[in-house]
Amino acid sequence: KNKTCFWLANSKQKKTICSKKVNYGPDHGPAQAVCLATCGSCDSCYENEKSKFYFGKIDGTHVYKRCKAMASIKNKNRLIKFCSSKNKTRKGYGPPKAVCPTTCSVGSC
């Protein structure tokens, strides 16, 4: 059952839910995307290393990656190219520069 942001704000599980529950469902998004104030994810530079972005389709399968994996890319030129070339979204999962703005150095992040 889906819970409310009010419920989350008063829950002992708030930190865990906000930082680790990052999947989108058919009728809901993760707490960090829905309960911005409660999870402290209002900032435009907010980035959760566990957040997933839509990578694309590989051999007919939709692939999703985490910000943590992208942050491990050491070659800065490769990272810049990766952040700027992937722009598709799927089922609530955005592109890397929207989901991982700090890693992608978006704006002042």
Side-chain angles (χ1 to χ4, degrees), residues 3-18 38:
K3 307 286 185 180
T4 66
C5 294
F6 179 78
W7 174 88
L8 181 60
N10 295 296
S11 173
K12 292 177 182 175
Q13 299 174 312
K14 179 175 96 170
K15 184 177 180 181
T16 299
I17 292 170
C18 288
T38 301

Side-chain angles (χ1 to χ4, degrees), residues 12-30:
K12 292 177 182 175
Q13 299 174 312
K14 179 175 96 170
K15 184 177 180 181
T16 299
I17 292 170
C18 288
S19 65
K20 295 184 179 178
K21 305 292 184 183
V22 298
N23 291 332
Y24 281 83
D27 63 346
H28 68 280

Side-chain angles (χ1 to χ4, degrees), residues 34-105:
V34 177
C35 303
L36 303 175
T38 301
C39 290
S41 54
C42 296
D43 190 304
S44 61
C45 293
Y46 174 80
E47 181 173 312
N48 178 343
E49 69 176 14
K50 294 185 183 300
S51 291
K52 296 178 185 177
F53 59 88
Y54 181 58
F55 183 76
K57 210 170 186 180
I58 299 176
D59 296 328
T61 302
H62 293 285
V63 178
Y64 303 87
K65 302 269 185 178
R66 295 185 186 273
C67 291
K68 183 177 183 178
M70 195 167 62
S72 69
I73 297 172
K74 302 297 182 210
N75 182 314
K76 185 140 178 100
N77 289 333
R78 183 172 170 227
L79 180 62
I80 291 168
K81 182 179 177 184
F82 182 82
C83 288
S84 62
S85 67
K86 304 286 184 188
N87 294 310
K88 294 184 179 176
T89 63
R90 183 166 196 279
K91 294 194 173 185
Y93 295 95
K97 62 185 170 189
V99 179
C100 314
T102 302
T103 299
C104 286
S105 301

